[in-house]
Amino acid sequence: MKKKLFILTVALMGLCASMFAQNTVLPKHEFTINGFGGISTLLYKAEGANYRLGLAGGVGLGYHYFFNDNWAFVTGIEAAHYRASVVGNPLYVDKLTDYGTAGKINYLEKARLTDFKEKQNIIALQLPIMAKFLYPLSQQKKHHFYAGLGFRLTYTVMGNYRQSASMVERGAFSERDIYSPDYLDHINWQKYDGYDTGKLKMKFGAFNLMLSGEVGFRWKIAEVFSLYTGLYVDYGFLNIIPKAVDKKLLEFVPVPGDDDTYETVSILVAQANDKLELKEEPGTNPVPVATKVTDRWVKSVNPLGAGLKIKFAFNPPKPKPKPEPKPKPEPKPKPEPKPEPPKVEPKPVIEVPQEIKQSMMKLSHTLFAFDKWNLTDEAVVELNKVIKWLNDNPTIHVEIEGHTDNWGSLAYNQRLSEDRAKSVYNYFVSHGVSASRLSYKGYSYTKPVADNSTPEGRQLNRRAELRIIQ
């Protein structure tokens, strides 16, 4: 005994230690959006009828609190839908109409319902309370197997049913007929049309406690998002039939009315019609008689649901650890001031003298003829003035720019402007100006100085200019 108690104590201590270990992989909190569906039914027994399974499910919101990387507490709120049906073909219903004297039954009626069907629906709110165990599927601990067990506190919001039969037959017999084993074959049945109640309300007990289990896998999709896929089973082990039933629900007999309709109540909440029980009266000559026995059609109902459950889980990102404060660096010694560099006076900007510019301007009238690049005789006088200025300033380097008017294509005028600049360049070199001080370039008609729409403007644009480059 002491050995067993010691083993139990060690096991409980190990369980507590594992539950309060630190989280290293799983988050501390997780919020889920749940969806589940599968088979459902209401477990019960009804005389002459059998229940069937239905498809149902629900949705909800959940919350997971992870004690560590293996244990979690689960709760939330869910809306669940349970469906079931009961069928019987035929379904017999008894009715005692004449009790005679001294409690003896002299006359009875029986109803036979063909293709009897009743479908039930329950909408309930559920509060799950569950413990969940998780086990990693790999060393990386990214995905987990999980298993959960707990309870669901269920509140029944509403219930309804729909009942129908393709035919209702009624027959009468006396008490002595019931001694014959085949008395049902000798009843004179009166046939009536079938009925369909449409959707009607059904009463249930407000609360129930359900045993709940889940098993499946947790897939980590991203740092803050995971997906649960698994199976669930819910079993309500409390009876949801109300203890008190209205008087108008105490009979389950389709009764033809003036308009050939039938009054019915749900098979789940109706009290059974009169049943017959044979007893022998005491005496020297015992005679079996039929006495009235009443009971519910269904004594207990237990919801059952099972199927697939999917959860979309979200968790806040883990806070990043604060970096340790870096030690403050020692103050560096102030560097000695560097001596200021000597001031360099900017070189004066050299520009082409105004008289040289005027000489080049005059050349625009006489330097080049239309579509020509040869120098005219009138241009020699002005070009010699420029050559004298270049020889007087041997350190100056210049670029000779050639320009045209806009008659003709760009490519053609480009060649023409280069030829005109080269003509001036060759004239300068042939008259003693060093070629190393000179360069030339054509600009076509891209830099006009006058309007090309007039003869005068075009003449001004057919020009050569000097630009000091050093």
Side-chain angles (χ1 to χ4, degrees):
M1 182 65 181
K2 292 183 179 180
K3 185 177 180 180
K4 292 182 179 179
L5 183 60
F6 174 76
I7 294 175
L8 180 61
T9 303
V10 172
L12 290 175
M13 292 176 63
L15 178 62
C16 293
S18 66
M19 291 188 68
F20 290 98
Q22 292 291 329
N23 294 58
T24 58
V25 177
L26 295 176
K28 198 71 174 177
H29 308 279
E30 194 172 60
F31 302 91
T32 64
I33 300 175
N34 312 332
F36 53 94
I39 60 171
S40 70
T41 189
L42 304 177
L43 298 175
Y44 56 87
K45 293 181 180 180
E47 183 179 355
N50 300 311
Y51 68 85
R52 295 287 187 267
L53 300 176
L55 296 177
V59 295
L61 302 174
Y63 168 71
H64 295 181
Y65 178 81
F66 291 89
F67 295 101
N68 52 40
D69 291 335
N70 296 108
W71 290 97
F73 168 76
V74 180
T75 187
I77 184 70
E78 295 176 345
H81 180 202
Y82 294 92
R83 298 178 62 189
S85 60
V86 61
V87 297
N89 187 27
L91 180 68
Y92 288 95
V93 182
D94 296 334
K95 180 68 175 176
L96 305 182
T97 59
D98 186 4
Y99 293 89
T101 59
K104 295 181 180 180
I105 302 171
N106 297 322
Y107 191 72
L108 302 97
E109 287 184 343
K110 183 177 286 287
R112 181 168 63 185
L113 283 66
T114 305
D115 297 328
F116 175 83
K117 295 179 183 179
E118 181 177 302
K119 296 182 179 180
Q120 305 99 11
N121 292 275
I122 296 178
I123 304 295
L125 292 178
Q126 297 179 336
L127 177 66
I129 300 175
M130 182 179 294
K132 182 174 288 187
F133 174 76
L134 297 98
Y135 187 80
L137 300 178
S138 62
Q139 292 183 351
Q140 290 77 16
K141 298 182 178 182
K142 185 177 181 179
H143 310 303
H144 291 75
F145 164 82
Y146 74 87
L149 185 65
F151 298 93
R152 295 182 186 277
L153 181 61
T154 302
Y155 172 73
T156 303
V157 178
M158 62 168 290
N160 59 63
Y161 74 98
R162 182 171 185 169
Q163 191 181 108
S164 64
S166 62
M167 182 186 301
V168 178
E169 300 173 273
R170 297 180 64 83
F173 55 94
S174 65
E175 64 177 58
R176 60 179 177 273
D177 292 331
I178 65 175
Y179 295 111
S180 174
D182 58 348
Y183 75 96
L184 290 177
D185 297 332
H186 302 290
I187 297 178
N188 183 21
W189 297 102
Q190 295 181 0
K191 295 183 179 181
Y192 300 90
D193 293 335
Y195 65 93
D196 189 334
T197 63
K199 188 177 291 186
L200 300 174
K201 290 184 179 180
M202 183 166 49
K203 292 187 177 182
F204 292 101
F207 292 97
N208 192 10
L209 194 61
M210 305 186 72
L211 181 64
S212 181
E214 294 183 15
V215 63
F217 299 95
R218 179 186 187 271
W219 312 100
K220 184 177 179 180
I221 308 300
E223 185 66 26
V224 296
F225 175 68
S226 301
L227 176 66
Y228 287 82
T229 58
L231 303 175
Y232 75 94
V233 176
D234 295 333
Y235 171 72
F237 55 86
L238 295 183
N239 185 10
I240 63 174
I241 290 184
K243 294 181 179 179
V245 182
D246 295 343
K247 291 182 179 180
K248 63 181 180 180
L249 301 181
L250 293 180
E251 291 185 354
F252 175 67
V253 182
V255 180
D258 296 336
D259 54 354
D260 292 332
T261 58
Y262 300 92
E263 298 176 359
T264 62
V265 295
S266 172
I267 192 172
L268 297 184
V269 298
Q271 184 174 356
N273 297 129
D274 304 331
K275 297 181 181 179
L276 303 180
E277 184 177 279
L278 298 180
K279 293 183 179 180
E280 293 185 354
E281 291 185 342
T284 56
N285 296 315
V287 177
V289 297
T291 60
K292 180 181 179 182
V293 178
T294 57
D295 198 1
R296 282 181 178 267
W297 278 88
V298 180
K299 294 182 180 181
S300 65
V301 174
N302 303 94
L304 173 67
L308 175 67
K309 176 168 282 191
I310 298 177
K311 298 181 181 181
F312 300 95
F314 306 89
N315 60 271
K318 292 183 178 180
K320 295 182 180 180
K322 295 182 179 180
E324 296 182 359
K326 296 181 180 180
K328 293 183 179 180
E330 296 181 0
K332 295 181 180 180
K334 295 182 179 180
E336 295 181 358
K338 295 180 180 181
E340 295 183 1
K343 293 182 179 180
V344 179
E345 295 183 358
K347 295 180 179 180
V349 179
I350 302 175
E351 293 185 355
V352 178
Q354 190 64 30
E355 60 272 15
I356 300 302
K357 288 183 179 181
Q358 291 176 354
S359 295
M360 297 299 293
M361 182 82 72
K362 293 179 182 178
L363 295 180
S364 64
H365 295 279
T366 59
L367 187 58
F368 303 110
F370 173 75
D371 199 25
K372 302 294 182 180
W373 58 87
N374 298 326
L375 299 176
T376 62
D377 295 337
E378 294 83 355
V380 172
V381 177
E382 299 299 333
L383 287 178
N384 289 337
K385 295 180 181 179
V386 178
I387 292 173
K388 182 178 183 306
W389 174 73
L390 290 173
N391 290 331
D392 293 341
N393 297 274
T395 60
I396 292 177
H397 292 63
V398 297
E399 180 184 80
I400 304 167
E401 297 180 349
H403 302 273
T404 67
D405 57 29
N406 67 346
W407 281 30
S409 66
L410 178 65
Y412 177 81
N413 282 292
Q414 178 64 35
R415 291 192 300 271
L416 180 61
S417 63
E418 290 178 357
D419 290 341
R420 288 176 172 177
K422 188 176 181 181
S423 296
V424 177
Y425 170 84
N426 291 334
Y427 185 82
F428 285 167
V429 172
S430 63
H431 287 74
V433 181
S434 175
S436 62
R437 299 172 54 196
L438 303 175
S439 63
Y440 64 91
K441 186 175 182 181
Y443 289 90
S444 186
Y445 51 72
T446 59
K447 293 184 177 182
V449 294
D451 188 359
N452 277 308
S453 63
T454 63
E456 294 80 7
R458 290 193 294 273
Q459 179 65 47
L460 291 175
N461 289 329
R462 294 194 295 270
R463 70 192 189 280
E465 293 183 356
L466 297 181
R467 182 171 65 88
I468 297 176
I469 57 177
Q470 183 177 344

